[in-house]
Amino acid sequence: MARTALVTGGTRGIGAAIATALKAAGYQVAANYAGNDDAAKTFTDETGIKTYKWSVADYDACVQGLKTVEGELGPVDVLVNNAGITRDAPFHKMKPEQWREVIDTNLTGVFNMTHPAWPGMRERGFGRIITISSINGQKGQFGQANYAAAKAGDLGLTKTLAQEGAGKGITANAICPGYIATDMVMAVPEKVREAIIGQIPVGRLGEPEEIARCVVFLASDDAGFITGSTISANGGQFVV
Ligand code: CAA
């Protein structure tokens, strides 16, 4: 039987590419989203992938959302923690709510989704947790103290989950995309974006599909020996 994958933030940008690639690879796919109903509807119309609305920042909503998905599609074998937001500001201007919103979604959101999915994966002796971190969690970024802290936190969480899941057939890995051509990156002021592209040795932004292919690999049986790792997909912008 086909495995089931749940992709958070799965109706736009990198998440939509991931959901689409997993479906093409034979998974039953559920795409979660938090706010943009129009984008979700368009996504379902184009791909046939069902969407489910809740905020990953809300633990109870995650428990309920997972229950709904599992009721309709069966146990979630592959969880892709992709949902993320930015609230960029230089640190001296960053408001506490900008800090909180980003930590709640980009870091606590990964806890909120993984925690309820974890017991079932342990019982079934199989699971794949794939978390989309960021180049900026690895290197920091001017204007992103909140985002960089959350994305770095995702890496620590992933490494711990890898150690705790290994004996139960669960792998946990992170992907650190560089600058990918999505709405999030297009929202960066053009001058700043051009300067960033100048720092990317391959000379271009990445494509969402280039991240999706990493996810499909990490989800597969072929990647069973890979856990606790971080795949950097950044065009050479930051070499760890
Ligand atoms: N390094 C050093 N100085 C910088 C800088 C940088 N990278 N970026 C801006 N500055 C400087 C400016 O030159 C300016 O200096 P002056 O005041 O001396 O002229 C100052 O910082 C800017 O100050 P402002 O008060 O104008 O700042 P602002 O309130 O307009 O905020 C910003 C600027 C929002 C941080 C803007 O620079 C920005 O959007 N930067 C991009 C942040 C970024 O890369 N976000 C990534 C989004 S995509 C994503 O997150 C996906 C992913 O995982 C990669």
Side-chain angles (χ1 to χ4, degrees), residues 86-90 141-144 179 182-197 205:
T86 54
R87 298 288 182 266
D88 294 354
Q141 169 61 36
F142 190 104
Q144 288 202 307
Y179 282 73
T182 62
D183 293 346
M184 187 182 271
V185 167
M186 292 309 167
V188 172
E190 195 181 347
K191 234 179 89 191
V192 177
R193 197 171 60 243
E194 289 305 320
I196 289 168
I197 293 172
L205 297 173

Side-chain angles (χ1 to χ4, degrees), residues 25-99:
Y27 294 83
Q28 294 200 86
V29 181
N32 148 273
Y33 72 103
N36 191 331
D37 294 317
D38 290 342
K41 187 178 176 317
T42 305
F43 175 75
T44 300
D45 290 345
E46 286 174 3
T47 63
I49 295 170
K50 227 177 143 187
T51 61
Y52 299 82
K53 186 177 183 177
W54 74 84
S55 167
V56 298
D58 178 339
Y59 183 83
D60 293 339
C62 291
V63 171
Q64 194 49 52
L66 184 71
K67 211 177 266 179
T68 304
V69 169
E70 295 201 322
E72 294 184 13
L73 301 184
V76 168
D77 305 297
V78 178
L79 171 64
V80 185
N81 290 306
N82 167 76
I85 59 170
T86 54
R87 298 288 182 266
D88 294 354
F91 190 63
H92 66 281
K93 289 185 187 171
M94 188 171 284
K95 298 189 176 65
E97 60 263 32
Q98 291 176 304
W99 172 266

Side-chain angles (χ1 to χ4, degrees), residues 115-131:
H115 194 253
W118 193 251
M121 290 182 175
R122 279 170 53 89
E123 272 164 35
R124 294 187 298 277
F126 181 86
R128 294 279 190 264
I129 308 290
I130 302 162
T131 297

